[in-house]
Structure formats: structure tokens, C-alpha cells
Amino acid sequence: MSASGIAPVSATYPSREQHLPPAAPRPWLLLTVLLLAVVLLSLAVGAVPVPPLALAGSLLDLVGLDIGHQLESVQQAVLMSIRLPRVVLGIMVGSVLATCGAALQALFRNPLVEPGLLGTSSGAALGAVTAIVMDVTLSAHLGSLRMLAVPGAAFLGALGATLLAQRLGAGGGRTETARILLAGVAVSAGAAAGIGLLTQMATDAQLRSITFWSWGSLGGASWDVVGAATLPLLVALALLLREARTLNLLLLGEREAWHLGVDVERLKRRLILAAALGVGAAVSVSGVIGFVGLLVPALLRLALGPDHRRLLGASALLGASLLVGADLLARTAAIPAELPVGALTSVLGVPVFIALLARKGAA
């Protein structure tokens, strides 16, 4: 029984399938083929080219199959120690960013929402910049753990900023989505001010590191980084994917979803915390990569509709393809230099964002 004296009546309401159209055939095959194609291209192309047959032989050799084609030692080292962990990290980060965007767009019922609007990315940037500027102090106290300072600070900054925005957005025992967005804007502005002050104290070398990190990169990928990021990224992804049913019910409106048995307040908290975990872990290992969480789910929603039984999984697959493809372009467009991948995703995202705004305004 609620405070209003009205109990949820989910047992007497029709099931969600009666409120939503039947799910269309899932586009898993097309998106999976696209991801596989992008992954193979990313593994083969670069400053050290890897022939397709030798690449196939090396990958099959991992599962115990020998087709008689082997890589040279240099190619083998580049593939296994540099490109493969980079691709795996790109798949996980892209999947999580896109899925977080899809879930938050449903929560706020706005296709123009992305995780950065909650202050998550700005908080991560502030944490990372703080660790970079305090490098000398941290190295004296952390010793061999110094390499974890920047990603650890970024992760804590992302979680702290998101929790602060959520706390500021809570009023009267309810979590108001409009208040959370406003709080996220305020937190982002505060983090930007802090970054500006810290930048003034940074050395030239630290400024270069701050600039490159702020635009995002998968260049620091290694199997150690992949191992550290796998658990939080996969946990966040699993938490979001399991909310497909409740997100569909939320599309009917908060009051209707509550009558159908959804604890809306708990759902909001779960989604925001899962997004904070996922985005915080992603930013801590790749830097700030914008527009993936906005671009992918917004386009897929136009193509597939609002059913989250399809949309969340499709966003994960397309987000992975987009980030791995953007990273391939980032490291090959200006060899031997490497472009920041976040800048490339922004180049793609800005015109799409403008088009979505124009479409929404004309609707």
C-alpha cells in the first residue's frame, strides 16, 4: 500500500505485450556481421600490415586450429600485444557508452540525452586532470601503483559527479529527471572550472597529456588494462540490459509504469548508478569519448523503434562497431601520428545532433 492509499494493481493489468507492438525480427545478424567486419579490418590494417590469411591463421591458432598460415614475429607481436587488446577494449567501451545512452534516453524520455549530461564525463575529466597535475606528489606516495592514479581518479570522479547530480536532483523523496539534468549541468560547469584552474598549474608535458586524454584514446590499451576494466564494464552492461522490460513500461509514463508494478524511484536510481559505473569505467581507461552515447541509440531508435528488447542490444553492437571503426581511422589517418578518437566521434556526432534537433523542432 502506497502513501496515497492506492496499491499497485499489476496483477490485474494487461501484460506489457498488450501495450507494445510485437518485437520485429532482431537485427542481430546484420549488426554482428558489421562488428566482425570492422574488427577484422582493424586487426589487419595499420603501420604494420597483417595479411588476411595470416591473420585468420593466427586467430584460429588461438583455438587450436592450424591452417598453415603464420605471421612473422613482428606481426604476431603487434597483433597480440597491441591491436587485439585495443580492439577488445574498444568493443567493451563502445558497447557500454551506447547502451548507457539508450537507457538514459528512455529514463529521461528524450532522444537528445547522453551520459555526459549527468556530469559523469566532466567529473571523470576533473579526476584525471587532478591526478596528472599531482603526478610528482602521487609518485612519491604510490610508488609502483602510480600508473593506476589517472584511471582510478577518473573513475572516482565520474562516480562522485553522478552521485552528486542525483543527490541534488532528489527532492521531496522523489528523483525528478528535470532536476537531475539541471544538477548535471551545474556539476559539469563546476568540473570545467576546476579543470581550467588545474590547467594553469600544469607543465607543458602535463598539458599535452591533459589535452590528449580529454579527447579520448584507446592507445593505452593493454591486456592489463583490459583485465582491470572488464568486470565493471560487463557488470554495468548486464545491469542495463536486464532493464529492457521496465524501460518499455516506463515509456507509458511514470504513473502508468507504477500501476503496472514498476518501482519507478528504484528504477531511476538503478539506471543512474549503472550508467555511472559503466561510463566511469569507460572514461577511466579511454578518456572522454563523446557522442557515442547520443549518436548510436538516437539513430537506432529511428530505425528500430522504441522497444528496448531490441534497442539495448542493438546499441551495444553498433556502439562497439562505431568506436572500433573510429579508432581504426584515428590511428591510420595520419601515420605515424595518432588522432584522438574522441575528436573523430565528435566530428560524426555534431552534425547528427544538429539534424536530430532540427527534426525534433519540426515535429
Side-chain angles (χ1 to χ4, degrees), residues 96 100 103-104 107-108 115 118 120 155 158-167 175 180 232-233 235-237 239-240 243 265-281:
V96 168
C100 287
L104 292 178
L107 174 63
F108 292 97
L118 299 181
T120 310
F155 181 70
L159 286 179
T162 307
L163 291 175
L164 178 59
Q166 183 187 27
R167 181 68 176 174
T175 303
I180 293 177
L233 289 174
V235 167
L237 187 61
L239 291 174
L240 292 170
E243 298 292 353
E265 290 303 310
R266 292 187 63 186
L267 174 62
K268 291 177 182 178
R269 290 193 292 268
R270 289 201 306 269
L271 289 175
I272 291 173
L273 291 177
L277 174 64
V279 176

Coordinates of all heavy atoms in Angstrom, one line a residue, residues 96 100 103-104 107-108 115 118 120 155 158-167 175 180 232-233 235-237 239-240 243 265-281:
V96 N 29.3 -0.2 -23.9 CA 28.8 0.4 -22.6 C 28.3 1.8 -22.8 O 27.2 2.2 -22.4 CB 29.8 0.3 -21.5 CG1 29.4 1.1 -20.3 CG2 30.0 -1.2 -21.1
C100 N 24.4 2.8 -22.3 CA 24.1 3.8 -21.2 C 23.3 4.9 -21.9 O 22.3 5.4 -21.2 CB 25.4 4.4 -20.6 SG 26.3 3.3 -19.5
A103 N 19.7 3.7 -22.4 CA 18.9 3.6 -21.2 C 18.5 5.0 -20.6 O 17.4 5.2 -20.1 CB 19.7 2.8 -20.1
L104 N 19.5 5.9 -20.6 CA 19.2 7.3 -20.1 C 18.2 8.0 -21.0 O 17.4 8.8 -20.5 CB 20.5 8.0 -20.0 CG 21.5 7.5 -18.9 CD1 22.8 8.3 -18.9 CD2 20.8 7.6 -17.5
L107 N 15.0 6.8 -19.8 CA 14.7 7.3 -18.4 C 14.2 8.7 -18.5 O 13.2 9.1 -17.8 CB 15.9 7.2 -17.6 CG 15.8 7.8 -16.2 CD1 14.8 7.1 -15.3 CD2 17.2 7.7 -15.5
F108 N 14.9 9.6 -19.3 CA 14.5 11.0 -19.4 C 13.5 11.2 -20.5 O 13.1 12.4 -20.7 CB 15.8 11.8 -19.6 CG 16.7 11.9 -18.4 CD1 17.8 11.0 -18.3 CD2 16.5 12.7 -17.4 CE1 18.6 11.0 -17.2 CE2 17.3 12.8 -16.3 CZ 18.4 11.9 -16.2
P115 N 25.1 10.4 -21.5 CA 25.6 10.3 -20.2 C 26.4 11.5 -19.7 O 26.4 11.8 -18.5 CB 26.6 9.1 -20.3 CG 26.0 8.2 -21.4 CD 25.4 9.2 -22.3
L118 N 24.8 14.2 -17.2 CA 24.7 13.9 -15.8 C 26.0 14.4 -15.1 O 26.1 14.2 -13.8 CB 24.5 12.5 -15.5 CG 23.2 11.9 -16.0 CD1 23.0 10.4 -15.6 CD2 22.0 12.6 -15.6
T120 N 28.9 13.0 -15.6 CA 29.8 11.9 -15.4 C 31.1 12.1 -16.1 O 32.2 11.9 -15.5 CB 29.1 10.6 -15.9 OG1 27.8 10.5 -15.4 CG2 29.9 9.4 -15.6
F155 N 37.8 7.4 -12.5 CA 36.6 6.5 -12.2 C 35.9 7.1 -10.9 O 34.7 7.2 -10.9 CB 37.1 5.1 -11.9 CG 36.0 4.2 -11.5 CD1 35.1 3.8 -12.4 CD2 35.9 3.7 -10.2 CE1 34.1 2.9 -12.1 CE2 34.9 2.8 -9.9 CZ 34.0 2.4 -10.8
A158 N 34.1 10.3 -11.9 CA 32.8 10.0 -12.6 C 31.7 9.6 -11.6 O 30.6 10.1 -11.7 CB 33.0 9.0 -13.6
L159 N 32.0 8.7 -10.7 CA 31.0 8.2 -9.7 C 30.6 9.4 -8.8 O 29.4 9.6 -8.5 CB 31.6 7.1 -8.9 CG 31.7 5.7 -9.6 CD1 32.3 4.7 -8.6 CD2 30.4 5.2 -10.1
G160 N 31.6 10.2 -8.3 CA 31.3 11.3 -7.4 C 30.4 12.3 -8.1 O 29.4 12.8 -7.5
A161 N 30.7 12.7 -9.3 CA 29.9 13.7 -10.0 C 28.5 13.2 -10.2 O 27.5 14.0 -10.1 CB 30.6 14.1 -11.3
T162 N 28.3 12.0 -10.6 CA 27.0 11.4 -10.9 C 26.2 11.3 -9.6 O 25.0 11.7 -9.6 CB 27.1 10.0 -11.6 OG1 27.9 10.1 -12.7 CG2 25.7 9.6 -12.0
L163 N 26.8 10.8 -8.6 CA 26.1 10.7 -7.3 C 25.7 12.1 -6.8 O 24.6 12.3 -6.2 CB 26.9 10.0 -6.3 CG 27.2 8.5 -6.5 CD1 28.1 8.0 -5.5 CD2 25.9 7.7 -6.5
L164 N 26.5 13.1 -7.0 CA 26.2 14.5 -6.6 C 25.0 15.0 -7.4 O 24.1 15.6 -6.8 CB 27.4 15.4 -6.8 CG 27.2 16.9 -6.4 CD1 26.8 17.0 -5.0 CD2 28.5 17.7 -6.7
A165 N 25.0 14.8 -8.7 CA 23.9 15.2 -9.5 C 22.6 14.5 -9.1 O 21.5 15.1 -9.1 CB 24.2 15.0 -11.0
Q166 N 22.7 13.2 -8.8 CA 21.5 12.5 -8.4 C 21.0 13.0 -7.0 O 19.8 13.2 -6.8 CB 21.8 11.0 -8.3 CG 20.6 10.2 -7.9 CD 21.0 8.7 -7.6 OE1 22.1 8.4 -7.2 NE2 20.0 7.8 -7.8
R167 N 21.9 13.3 -6.1 CA 21.5 13.8 -4.8 C 20.9 15.2 -5.0 O 19.8 15.5 -4.3 CB 22.8 13.9 -4.0 CG 22.5 14.5 -2.5 CD 21.7 13.5 -1.7 NE 21.6 13.9 -0.4 CZ 20.8 13.3 0.5 NH1 20.2 12.2 0.2 NH2 20.7 13.8 1.7
T175 N 13.0 11.4 -7.2 CA 14.1 11.8 -8.1 C 13.5 12.4 -9.3 O 12.9 11.7 -10.1 CB 14.9 10.6 -8.4 OG1 15.4 10.0 -7.2 CG2 16.1 11.0 -9.3
I180 N 17.6 16.5 -12.1 CA 18.9 15.8 -12.3 C 19.7 16.4 -13.5 O 20.9 16.6 -13.4 CB 18.7 14.3 -12.5 CG1 18.1 13.7 -11.2 CG2 20.0 13.6 -12.9 CD1 17.8 12.2 -11.4
P232 N 34.0 -4.1 -14.3 CA 33.0 -3.0 -14.1 C 32.2 -2.8 -15.4 O 31.0 -2.4 -15.4 CB 33.8 -1.8 -13.7 CG 35.2 -2.1 -14.1 CD 35.3 -3.6 -14.0
L233 N 32.9 -2.9 -16.6 CA 32.2 -2.6 -17.8 C 31.1 -3.7 -18.1 O 30.0 -3.4 -18.5 CB 33.2 -2.6 -19.0 CG 34.1 -1.4 -19.1 CD1 35.1 -1.5 -20.2 CD2 33.3 -0.1 -19.3
V235 N 29.7 -5.7 -15.8 CA 28.6 -5.6 -14.8 C 27.6 -4.5 -15.2 O 26.4 -4.6 -15.1 CB 29.2 -5.3 -13.4 CG1 28.1 -4.9 -12.4 CG2 29.9 -6.6 -12.9
A236 N 28.1 -3.3 -15.6 CA 27.3 -2.2 -16.0 C 26.4 -2.6 -17.2 O 25.2 -2.3 -17.2 CB 28.1 -1.0 -16.3
L237 N 27.0 -3.2 -18.2 CA 26.3 -3.7 -19.4 C 25.2 -4.6 -19.0 O 24.0 -4.5 -19.5 CB 27.2 -4.3 -20.4 CG 26.7 -4.6 -21.8 CD1 26.2 -3.3 -22.4 CD2 27.7 -5.3 -22.6
L239 N 23.7 -5.0 -16.1 CA 22.6 -4.3 -15.3 C 21.7 -3.5 -16.2 O 20.5 -3.4 -15.9 CB 23.3 -3.4 -14.3 CG 24.0 -4.0 -13.1 CD1 24.7 -3.0 -12.3 CD2 23.1 -4.9 -12.3
L240 N 22.2 -2.9 -17.2 CA 21.4 -2.1 -18.2 C 20.5 -3.0 -19.1 O 19.4 -2.8 -19.3 CB 22.3 -1.2 -19.0 CG 23.0 -0.1 -18.2 CD1 24.0 0.6 -19.1 CD2 21.9 0.9 -17.7
E243 N 17.2 -4.4 -17.8 CA 16.1 -3.5 -17.6 C 15.3 -3.2 -18.8 O 14.4 -2.3 -18.8 CB 16.7 -2.1 -17.1 CG 17.4 -2.2 -15.8 CD 16.5 -2.5 -14.6 OE1 15.3 -2.5 -14.7 OE2 17.1 -2.7 -13.5
E265 N 11.0 4.9 -8.6 CA 12.1 5.6 -8.0 C 13.3 4.7 -7.9 O 14.5 5.1 -8.1 CB 11.7 6.0 -6.6 CG 10.7 7.2 -6.5 CD 11.2 8.4 -7.3 OE1 12.4 8.8 -7.0 OE2 10.5 8.9 -8.2
R266 N 13.1 3.4 -7.5 CA 14.2 2.5 -7.5 C 14.8 2.3 -8.9 O 16.0 2.1 -9.1 CB 13.8 1.1 -6.9 CG 13.5 1.2 -5.4 CD 13.2 -0.2 -4.9 NE 14.4 -1.0 -5.0 CZ 14.4 -2.3 -4.7 NH1 13.2 -2.9 -4.2 NH2 15.5 -3.0 -4.7
L267 N 14.0 2.2 -9.9 CA 14.4 2.1 -11.3 C 15.3 3.2 -11.7 O 16.4 3.0 -12.3 CB 13.2 2.0 -12.2 CG 13.6 2.0 -13.7 CD1 14.4 0.8 -14.1 CD2 12.3 2.0 -14.6
K268 N 14.9 4.5 -11.3 CA 15.8 5.6 -11.6 C 17.1 5.5 -11.0 O 18.2 5.8 -11.6 CB 15.1 6.9 -11.2 CG 13.8 7.3 -12.0 CD 13.2 8.5 -11.3 CE 11.9 8.9 -12.0 NZ 11.3 10.1 -11.4
R269 N 17.1 5.1 -9.7 CA 18.4 5.0 -9.0 C 19.3 3.9 -9.7 O 20.5 4.1 -9.8 CB 18.2 4.7 -7.6 CG 17.6 5.9 -6.8 CD 17.7 5.7 -5.3 NE 16.8 4.7 -4.9 CZ 15.6 4.9 -4.5 NH1 15.1 6.1 -4.5 NH2 14.8 3.9 -4.0
R270 N 18.7 2.8 -10.0 CA 19.4 1.7 -10.6 C 20.1 2.1 -11.9 O 21.2 1.8 -12.2 CB 18.5 0.5 -10.8 CG 18.1 -0.3 -9.5 CD 17.7 -1.7 -9.8 NE 16.7 -1.8 -10.9 CZ 15.4 -1.8 -10.6 NH1 14.9 -1.6 -9.4 NH2 14.5 -1.9 -11.6
L271 N 19.3 2.8 -12.8 CA 19.8 3.2 -14.1 C 20.9 4.2 -14.0 O 21.9 4.1 -14.7 CB 18.6 3.7 -14.9 CG 17.6 2.7 -15.4 CD1 16.4 3.4 -16.1 CD2 18.2 1.7 -16.3
I272 N 20.7 5.2 -13.1 CA 21.7 6.2 -13.0 C 23.0 5.6 -12.4 O 24.1 5.9 -12.9 CB 21.2 7.4 -12.1 CG1 20.1 8.1 -12.8 CG2 22.3 8.3 -11.7 CD1 19.4 9.1 -12.0
L273 N 22.9 4.8 -11.4 CA 24.1 4.2 -10.8 C 24.8 3.2 -11.8 O 26.1 3.2 -11.9 CB 23.8 3.4 -9.5 CG 23.4 4.3 -8.4 CD1 23.0 3.5 -7.2 CD2 24.5 5.3 -8.0
A274 N 24.0 2.4 -12.6 CA 24.6 1.6 -13.6 C 25.3 2.4 -14.7 O 26.4 2.0 -15.1 CB 23.5 0.7 -14.2
A275 N 24.7 3.5 -15.1 CA 25.3 4.3 -16.1 C 26.6 5.0 -15.5 O 27.6 5.1 -16.2 CB 24.3 5.4 -16.5
A276 N 26.6 5.4 -14.3 CA 27.8 6.0 -13.6 C 28.9 4.9 -13.6 O 30.0 5.3 -13.9 CB 27.4 6.5 -12.2
L277 N 28.6 3.7 -13.2 CA 29.6 2.7 -13.2 C 30.2 2.4 -14.6 O 31.4 2.3 -14.7 CB 29.0 1.4 -12.6 CG 29.8 0.1 -12.7 CD1 31.1 0.3 -11.7 CD2 29.0 -1.1 -12.2
G278 N 29.3 2.3 -15.6 CA 29.8 2.0 -16.9 C 30.6 3.1 -17.5 O 31.7 2.9 -18.0
V279 N 30.0 4.3 -17.5 CA 30.7 5.5 -18.1 C 32.0 5.8 -17.3 O 33.0 6.1 -17.9 CB 29.8 6.7 -18.1 CG1 30.5 7.9 -18.6 CG2 28.6 6.4 -19.0
G280 N 31.9 5.7 -16.0 CA 33.1 5.9 -15.2 C 34.3 4.9 -15.5 O 35.4 5.3 -15.7
A281 N 33.9 3.6 -15.6 CA 34.9 2.7 -16.0 C 35.4 2.9 -17.4 O 36.6 2.8 -17.7 CB 34.3 1.2 -15.9

